Amino acid sequence: MKFRLSFLVLAGFLLTSCATRSVNHPFGDDIEPSAGMQTSLFDPLASLYTDTSASSGTPRFVTDVPKNSTGGVVVMVSVPEASVSFKLTLEGPEAERIDFYRLRSVPVNQNTGYFGMTEGHIGFDNRHIVRHAPFSIFEILEPSVPGRFVGETVYAFYLKLRIGADAEPGVIETSIVIRSEDSDAAERLSWNLAVHDVIPAFGPDSELLNTNWFNGPHSGFEKKLDEDYWRLLDEQTAFRRDGGQNVTWVPDAVMFDTLEGVRTVNRERLGRFIDIADRNGMYLFEGYMMAKRAKSFQSRDLVVGPARLPAGSPEAAEYISDTYGALYEYLAERNLQARWVQHILDEPQAKQAAGYRWIAAELRKAMPGIRIIEATKTRKPLVGSVDIWNPLINDFQRNRNFFQERRDDGDEVWIYTAMVPGGPWLNRLMDQERLRSVYIGWGASKFDVGGYLRWGFDQWRRNQDIRQGDLSTTWSGRLQLPQGDEFVVFPGPDGQLLSTTRWEAGRLGLEDYRLLTMLKAKDENTYNEVIAMCFTDFKTYQTDPRVYRNARRALLESLTP
């Protein structure tokens, strides 16, 4: 197997090198090259900017995919003046099935700080970025169709082709023809989709558990749980599931009604939410955080309920027993106890551990057997109160012995990212390599992580025009969040969600996790060799997409019968 893998790696390197080196464009009999128009293909994982040379890619690109998957490529076109128009057409046996998008750019006005947040907030320069701000990066996938384009000088298009589970292994050839309407000049690019005879494993035992904390329909606006809300929730849940999400948090407003300080379970709303999640393939439900800090983020004291009852008080104990006991009763009726996990307090610190432990003990009385999950900012003080640990990626890597002890004692361990970490650590922020989103799946596989939580899915605010550069949030007048922290998708018309290059990369990494799980079960030595080709740990990895593509090709070939 080592000899076979070495041969595959060499062959893959040669193929990818040929597919990514700039060479002369191939022209058919009816194609004359244009002196003023520039075109080429790029890896969707490449960082592309509005000043990227459209001729710096390749005329030919190969995308390796398993069956029951999606492959993609990016086309860039530049013309001398905005008044110059061109027509783009797709030719090939699957041309009509290709999903076609305009790639829209967004401005990045400040860089992520070395430790997270932003450079301006943290005060340290960060060299682990794709480019120094300000710049504009192609990010948003806006649904479109091939055709005539005019009005700009630089264009980027994202092409995706979905491959069915019953597809025949082999190469699907597509030609992308860009013809100037001002002359007979044209360019022809070649995209080959190499379909391997492998189907990624599917199911809760094969997938990385993955949740993105979403705001949901009417995001950034007044929430009205009307029929429009439920229709959009269904569409957006399907969108998240298509991107690999299989765990969903349940908003507080969906679970409970509050009248004069008394909370009751709204069975109709909660049931409708659960039915939508079930229909779209969600495995677990996360109950929204039940506690808050009494004052600021640094407060030691915790409170629960709309009346802000102090943790440790008889009133708080009664509230938890009544409210969460009723929730448990409903879950038991639907046999959902094993699929429900409950949050208590987001990012508890050591100073809040006493109140947290008390609430956890009361919750266990009200909801026996329900696992407690938390994005944690401390460790030993919470032992016994947390069942699913969810540390930051850097916290996990630096304290692997502690988290292995938790697993040995029967707890689960996930990882999460948010406004931190920065520097070389994996995250999904705007000025980082898109490969970082991919490698989260590789790291979870290598280090036996059970799940991944991304807090900011669509957390844009009312009147926030993120398409025009309003990409960061200021908290309390000083705390700057890094750009892309709050959202990994963009708002489209009528509640539509628009994908991004970061979201597409994340989907790819979650698929890789499934493939790596299969390879590890088949041949652990080859599994280790494949991972070592591009990934070491959560802050050490290859940033060249060509190196990753070679590793992915070797992964697919190693699974081919």
PDB file of all heavy atoms in Angstrom, residues 65-66 97 102 197 234 279 306 318 391 401 403 411 421 431 460 469 473 484 496:
ATOM      1  N   VAL A  65     -13.590  14.255  -7.291  1.00  0.00           N
ATOM      2  CA  VAL A  65     -14.731  14.154  -6.379  1.00  0.00           C
ATOM      3  C   VAL A  65     -15.150  12.700  -6.244  1.00  0.00           C
ATOM      4  O   VAL A  65     -14.972  11.899  -7.161  1.00  0.00           O
ATOM      5  CB  VAL A  65     -15.934  14.979  -6.876  1.00  0.00           C
ATOM      6  CG1 VAL A  65     -15.615  16.459  -6.885  1.00  0.00           C
ATOM      7  CG2 VAL A  65     -16.397  14.515  -8.245  1.00  0.00           C
ATOM      8  N   PRO A  66     -15.741  12.337  -5.096  1.00  0.00           N
ATOM      9  CA  PRO A  66     -16.401  11.045  -4.983  1.00  0.00           C
ATOM     10  C   PRO A  66     -17.800  11.131  -5.589  1.00  0.00           C
ATOM     11  O   PRO A  66     -18.247  12.212  -5.989  1.00  0.00           O
ATOM     12  CB  PRO A  66     -16.471  10.831  -3.473  1.00  0.00           C
ATOM     13  CG  PRO A  66     -16.597  12.212  -2.924  1.00  0.00           C
ATOM     14  CD  PRO A  66     -15.785  13.101  -3.839  1.00  0.00           C
ATOM     15  N   ARG A  97     -26.621  20.966 -16.341  1.00  0.00           N
ATOM     16  CA  ARG A  97     -26.817  20.661 -14.924  1.00  0.00           C
ATOM     17  C   ARG A  97     -25.888  21.468 -14.017  1.00  0.00           C
ATOM     18  O   ARG A  97     -25.978  21.375 -12.795  1.00  0.00           O
ATOM     19  CB  ARG A  97     -26.590  19.162 -14.660  1.00  0.00           C
ATOM     20  CG  ARG A  97     -27.646  18.260 -15.286  1.00  0.00           C
ATOM     21  CD  ARG A  97     -27.415  16.803 -14.877  1.00  0.00           C
ATOM     22  NE  ARG A  97     -27.354  16.686 -13.433  1.00  0.00           N
ATOM     23  CZ  ARG A  97     -26.250  16.354 -12.736  1.00  0.00           C
ATOM     24  NH1 ARG A  97     -25.108  16.119 -13.384  1.00  0.00           N
ATOM     25  NH2 ARG A  97     -26.284  16.253 -11.434  1.00  0.00           N
ATOM     26  N   ARG A 102     -22.477  34.143  -9.987  1.00  0.00           N
ATOM     27  CA  ARG A 102     -21.556  35.269 -10.001  1.00  0.00           C
ATOM     28  C   ARG A 102     -20.869  35.312  -8.642  1.00  0.00           C
ATOM     29  O   ARG A 102     -21.522  35.242  -7.601  1.00  0.00           O
ATOM     30  CB  ARG A 102     -22.304  36.590 -10.203  1.00  0.00           C
ATOM     31  CG  ARG A 102     -22.721  36.901 -11.613  1.00  0.00           C
ATOM     32  CD  ARG A 102     -21.580  37.274 -12.523  1.00  0.00           C
ATOM     33  NE  ARG A 102     -20.814  38.426 -12.100  1.00  0.00           N
ATOM     34  CZ  ARG A 102     -21.094  39.677 -12.448  1.00  0.00           C
ATOM     35  NH1 ARG A 102     -22.153  39.944 -13.198  1.00  0.00           N
ATOM     36  NH2 ARG A 102     -20.326  40.673 -12.051  1.00  0.00           N
ATOM     37  N   ASP A 197     -14.871   6.165  -7.904  1.00  0.00           N
ATOM     38  CA  ASP A 197     -15.853   5.138  -7.550  1.00  0.00           C
ATOM     39  C   ASP A 197     -15.912   4.954  -6.032  1.00  0.00           C
ATOM     40  O   ASP A 197     -15.609   3.887  -5.490  1.00  0.00           O
ATOM     41  CB  ASP A 197     -15.505   3.819  -8.241  1.00  0.00           C
ATOM     42  CG  ASP A 197     -16.645   2.816  -8.169  1.00  0.00           C
ATOM     43  OD1 ASP A 197     -17.781   3.223  -7.822  1.00  0.00           O
ATOM     44  OD2 ASP A 197     -16.411   1.622  -8.439  1.00  0.00           O
ATOM     45  N   ASP A 234     -37.655  26.208   6.990  1.00  0.00           N
ATOM     46  CA  ASP A 234     -37.507  24.947   6.264  1.00  0.00           C
ATOM     47  C   ASP A 234     -36.441  25.085   5.174  1.00  0.00           C
ATOM     48  O   ASP A 234     -35.541  24.244   5.048  1.00  0.00           O
ATOM     49  CB  ASP A 234     -38.851  24.561   5.642  1.00  0.00           C
ATOM     50  CG  ASP A 234     -38.937  23.086   5.284  1.00  0.00           C
ATOM     51  OD1 ASP A 234     -37.926  22.369   5.443  1.00  0.00           O
ATOM     52  OD2 ASP A 234     -40.004  22.642   4.840  1.00  0.00           O
ATOM     53  N   ARG A 279     -37.105  16.520   9.212  1.00  0.00           N
ATOM     54  CA  ARG A 279     -37.296  16.368   7.768  1.00  0.00           C
ATOM     55  C   ARG A 279     -36.026  16.695   6.999  1.00  0.00           C
ATOM     56  O   ARG A 279     -35.784  16.153   5.912  1.00  0.00           O
ATOM     57  CB  ARG A 279     -38.450  17.261   7.318  1.00  0.00           C
ATOM     58  CG  ARG A 279     -38.798  17.148   5.860  1.00  0.00           C
ATOM     59  CD  ARG A 279     -40.165  17.734   5.550  1.00  0.00           C
ATOM     60  NE  ARG A 279     -40.258  19.152   5.861  1.00  0.00           N
ATOM     61  CZ  ARG A 279     -41.005  19.656   6.841  1.00  0.00           C
ATOM     62  NH1 ARG A 279     -41.704  18.861   7.639  1.00  0.00           N
ATOM     63  NH2 ARG A 279     -41.053  20.963   7.030  1.00  0.00           N
ATOM     64  N   PRO A 306     -36.782  34.786  33.090  1.00  0.00           N
ATOM     65  CA  PRO A 306     -37.085  36.189  32.781  1.00  0.00           C
ATOM     66  C   PRO A 306     -37.063  37.088  34.003  1.00  0.00           C
ATOM     67  O   PRO A 306     -36.858  38.304  33.879  1.00  0.00           O
ATOM     68  CB  PRO A 306     -38.487  36.115  32.157  1.00  0.00           C
ATOM     69  CG  PRO A 306     -39.052  34.817  32.634  1.00  0.00           C
ATOM     70  CD  PRO A 306     -37.902  33.885  32.758  1.00  0.00           C
ATOM     71  N   GLU A 318     -36.926  26.342  41.940  1.00  0.00           N
ATOM     72  CA  GLU A 318     -38.316  26.082  41.559  1.00  0.00           C
ATOM     73  C   GLU A 318     -38.541  26.369  40.080  1.00  0.00           C
ATOM     74  O   GLU A 318     -39.241  25.620  39.380  1.00  0.00           O
ATOM     75  CB  GLU A 318     -39.249  26.932  42.419  1.00  0.00           C
ATOM     76  CG  GLU A 318     -40.727  26.702  42.134  1.00  0.00           C
ATOM     77  CD  GLU A 318     -41.622  27.561  43.003  1.00  0.00           C
ATOM     78  OE1 GLU A 318     -41.100  28.415  43.750  1.00  0.00           O
ATOM     79  OE2 GLU A 318     -42.855  27.381  42.933  1.00  0.00           O
ATOM     80  N   PRO A 391     -14.276  23.070  23.775  1.00  0.00           N
ATOM     81  CA  PRO A 391     -13.257  24.118  23.920  1.00  0.00           C
ATOM     82  C   PRO A 391     -12.906  24.751  22.584  1.00  0.00           C
ATOM     83  O   PRO A 391     -13.150  24.177  21.512  1.00  0.00           O
ATOM     84  CB  PRO A 391     -12.055  23.357  24.482  1.00  0.00           C
ATOM     85  CG  PRO A 391     -12.203  21.978  23.878  1.00  0.00           C
ATOM     86  CD  PRO A 391     -13.690  21.716  23.849  1.00  0.00           C
ATOM     87  N   ASN A 401      -4.231  16.382  26.954  1.00  0.00           N
ATOM     88  CA  ASN A 401      -4.240  15.364  28.014  1.00  0.00           C
ATOM     89  C   ASN A 401      -5.489  15.484  28.875  1.00  0.00           C
ATOM     90  O   ASN A 401      -6.119  14.470  29.224  1.00  0.00           O
ATOM     91  CB  ASN A 401      -2.981  15.486  28.889  1.00  0.00           C
ATOM     92  CG  ASN A 401      -1.726  15.045  28.170  1.00  0.00           C
ATOM     93  OD1 ASN A 401      -1.791  14.305  27.185  1.00  0.00           O
ATOM     94  ND2 ASN A 401      -0.581  15.507  28.628  1.00  0.00           N
ATOM     95  N   PHE A 403      -8.425  16.747  27.996  1.00  0.00           N
ATOM     96  CA  PHE A 403      -9.621  16.351  27.258  1.00  0.00           C
ATOM     97  C   PHE A 403      -9.628  14.852  26.962  1.00  0.00           C
ATOM     98  O   PHE A 403     -10.707  14.249  26.859  1.00  0.00           O
ATOM     99  CB  PHE A 403      -9.757  17.189  25.991  1.00  0.00           C
ATOM    100  CG  PHE A 403     -10.074  18.626  26.291  1.00  0.00           C
ATOM    101  CD1 PHE A 403      -9.138  19.635  26.072  1.00  0.00           C
ATOM    102  CD2 PHE A 403     -11.300  18.969  26.845  1.00  0.00           C
ATOM    103  CE1 PHE A 403      -9.435  20.953  26.375  1.00  0.00           C
ATOM    104  CE2 PHE A 403     -11.601  20.286  27.154  1.00  0.00           C
ATOM    105  CZ  PHE A 403     -10.660  21.283  26.928  1.00  0.00           C
ATOM    106  N   ASP A 411     -17.038  11.368  28.953  1.00  0.00           N
ATOM    107  CA  ASP A 411     -17.534  12.611  28.350  1.00  0.00           C
ATOM    108  C   ASP A 411     -17.207  12.637  26.858  1.00  0.00           C
ATOM    109  O   ASP A 411     -16.360  11.875  26.377  1.00  0.00           O
ATOM    110  CB  ASP A 411     -16.899  13.830  29.022  1.00  0.00           C
ATOM    111  CG  ASP A 411     -17.345  14.000  30.466  1.00  0.00           C
ATOM    112  OD1 ASP A 411     -18.328  13.333  30.871  1.00  0.00           O
ATOM    113  OD2 ASP A 411     -16.709  14.795  31.186  1.00  0.00           O
ATOM    114  N   PRO A 421      -9.628  31.634  17.853  1.00  0.00           N
ATOM    115  CA  PRO A 421      -8.272  32.189  17.843  1.00  0.00           C
ATOM    116  C   PRO A 421      -7.914  32.826  16.505  1.00  0.00           C
ATOM    117  O   PRO A 421      -8.566  32.598  15.495  1.00  0.00           O
ATOM    118  CB  PRO A 421      -7.410  30.953  18.102  1.00  0.00           C
ATOM    119  CG  PRO A 421      -8.175  29.834  17.456  1.00  0.00           C
ATOM    120  CD  PRO A 421      -9.633  30.164  17.670  1.00  0.00           C
ATOM    121  N   ASP A 431     -10.192  37.072   6.278  1.00  0.00           N
ATOM    122  CA  ASP A 431      -8.843  37.291   5.748  1.00  0.00           C
ATOM    123  C   ASP A 431      -7.938  36.083   5.969  1.00  0.00           C
ATOM    124  O   ASP A 431      -6.713  36.219   6.036  1.00  0.00           O
ATOM    125  CB  ASP A 431      -8.220  38.551   6.355  1.00  0.00           C
ATOM    126  CG  ASP A 431      -8.119  38.490   7.881  1.00  0.00           C
ATOM    127  OD1 ASP A 431      -8.619  37.525   8.486  1.00  0.00           O
ATOM    128  OD2 ASP A 431      -7.528  39.419   8.469  1.00  0.00           O
ATOM    129  N   TRP A 460     -25.980  38.847  11.277  1.00  0.00           N
ATOM    130  CA  TRP A 460     -25.921  40.257  10.919  1.00  0.00           C
ATOM    131  C   TRP A 460     -27.052  41.006  11.615  1.00  0.00           C
ATOM    132  O   TRP A 460     -28.050  40.438  12.038  1.00  0.00           O
ATOM    133  CB  TRP A 460     -25.990  40.442   9.406  1.00  0.00           C
ATOM    134  CG  TRP A 460     -27.100  39.703   8.725  1.00  0.00           C
ATOM    135  CD1 TRP A 460     -28.405  40.059   8.655  1.00  0.00           C
ATOM    136  CD2 TRP A 460     -26.987  38.457   8.010  1.00  0.00           C
ATOM    137  NE1 TRP A 460     -29.117  39.131   7.944  1.00  0.00           N
ATOM    138  CE2 TRP A 460     -28.278  38.142   7.535  1.00  0.00           C
ATOM    139  CE3 TRP A 460     -25.922  37.597   7.720  1.00  0.00           C
ATOM    140  CZ2 TRP A 460     -28.537  36.987   6.779  1.00  0.00           C
ATOM    141  CZ3 TRP A 460     -26.186  36.452   6.978  1.00  0.00           C
ATOM    142  CH2 TRP A 460     -27.471  36.160   6.527  1.00  0.00           C
ATOM    143  N   GLY A 469     -19.451  46.410   3.079  1.00  0.00           N
ATOM    144  CA  GLY A 469     -18.273  46.574   3.922  1.00  0.00           C
ATOM    145  C   GLY A 469     -18.528  46.762   5.394  1.00  0.00           C
ATOM    146  O   GLY A 469     -17.576  46.898   6.170  1.00  0.00           O
ATOM    147  N   THR A 473     -18.414  44.259  14.145  1.00  0.00           N
ATOM    148  CA  THR A 473     -19.274  44.748  15.213  1.00  0.00           C
ATOM    149  C   THR A 473     -18.419  45.354  16.315  1.00  0.00           C
ATOM    150  O   THR A 473     -17.351  44.845  16.636  1.00  0.00           O
ATOM    151  CB  THR A 473     -20.103  43.589  15.794  1.00  0.00           C
ATOM    152  OG1 THR A 473     -21.013  43.134  14.800  1.00  0.00           O
ATOM    153  CG2 THR A 473     -20.913  44.038  16.990  1.00  0.00           C
ATOM    154  N   GLY A 484     -16.109  38.635   9.333  1.00  0.00           N
ATOM    155  CA  GLY A 484     -16.496  37.273   9.012  1.00  0.00           C
ATOM    156  C   GLY A 484     -16.777  36.434  10.235  1.00  0.00           C
ATOM    157  O   GLY A 484     -17.188  35.284  10.113  1.00  0.00           O
ATOM    158  N   GLN A 496     -33.560  34.573   1.229  1.00  0.00           N
ATOM    159  CA  GLN A 496     -32.630  33.589   0.659  1.00  0.00           C
ATOM    160  C   GLN A 496     -31.263  33.733   1.299  1.00  0.00           C
ATOM    161  O   GLN A 496     -30.811  34.839   1.594  1.00  0.00           O
ATOM    162  CB  GLN A 496     -32.535  33.802  -0.857  1.00  0.00           C
ATOM    163  CG  GLN A 496     -31.611  32.817  -1.569  1.00  0.00           C
ATOM    164  CD  GLN A 496     -31.477  33.141  -3.052  1.00  0.00           C
ATOM    165  OE1 GLN A 496     -31.850  34.226  -3.496  1.00  0.00           O
ATOM    166  NE2 GLN A 496     -30.946  32.211  -3.819  1.00  0.00           N
TER     167      GLN A 496
END
